[in-house]
Amino acid sequence: MRDNVETLYGAIDDGAIAVRIPKHAKKELEAYLDCGLLCRGFARFRCERCEESRLVAFSCKGRGFCPSCLGRRMCSTMANLIDDVLPEVAHRPWVLTFPFPWRRRLAQDGALFGVLTRIFVESVERFYEERAARRGACGAVKSGAVTIVQRTCGDMRLNPHLHVVFLDGAYHEDGTELVWNELGHLRTREVGQVLEHAVGRMLRSLRRHGHLEIEHDVEEDDEPEAALCASAAQAHRTAPCEARRAYQGGR
């Protein structure tokens, strides 16, 4: 990346590549190239006992793609959740991905992405609360969740999706105390019902706000950034007919 970034900038300036790199993305890229370099700044630490000293280079603290900074942030976030946020009860991870045609719009429309995220979290929490109520929980029943948004796949394809840690059950009030009601076994059929309910609410919300037709392929008259976003979301996407032929050939 360091050897070719200036070539990329030159190609964009000359018009050879019809893409404009936003200022925040350029800043993130250049900060990543300076991450961990002593010549870009460092702190010196010395042990008072053995007097050994070490130099620690400054990090870019990026949130885009720096593996070192993202790894540290991931570990510190999880340590905070475990030590200070999540109660000592059972937890269950849920992951929600969106259809390919939705991803370009969700990557660019944070408000719409927030609406669909809230719908999914509310749908799962409703399932937990109704399950606890059927098992005899009385009074106010409430669950909880922590949502982490990821914007790419492992192959760096644009893929806004959700990783959500839910309390695997729900609380209800018993006088002045909270009583925990654990979910127990989760059936595949129940997961399907939750998903069906969430998707139904999402489609109604999209239709109500005029966003139902958010499927959009790359077109010649698209703005360069929009075309780049759509291409990133659809990269390595296999057409259904090609996937079917590949399956039949290998069966």
Side-chain angles (χ1 to χ4, degrees), residues 34 150 207 230 236 246:
D34 290 340
Q150 288 193 342
R207 185 180 297 110
H236 310 300

Side-chain angles (χ1 to χ4, degrees), residues 150-168:
Q150 288 193 342
R151 296 180 60 84
T152 63
C153 301
D155 59 0
M156 297 302 292
R157 182 174 61 220
L158 182 64
N159 176 20
H161 62 285
L162 306 175
H163 290 259
V164 191
V165 178
F166 284 91
L167 305 184
D168 200 30

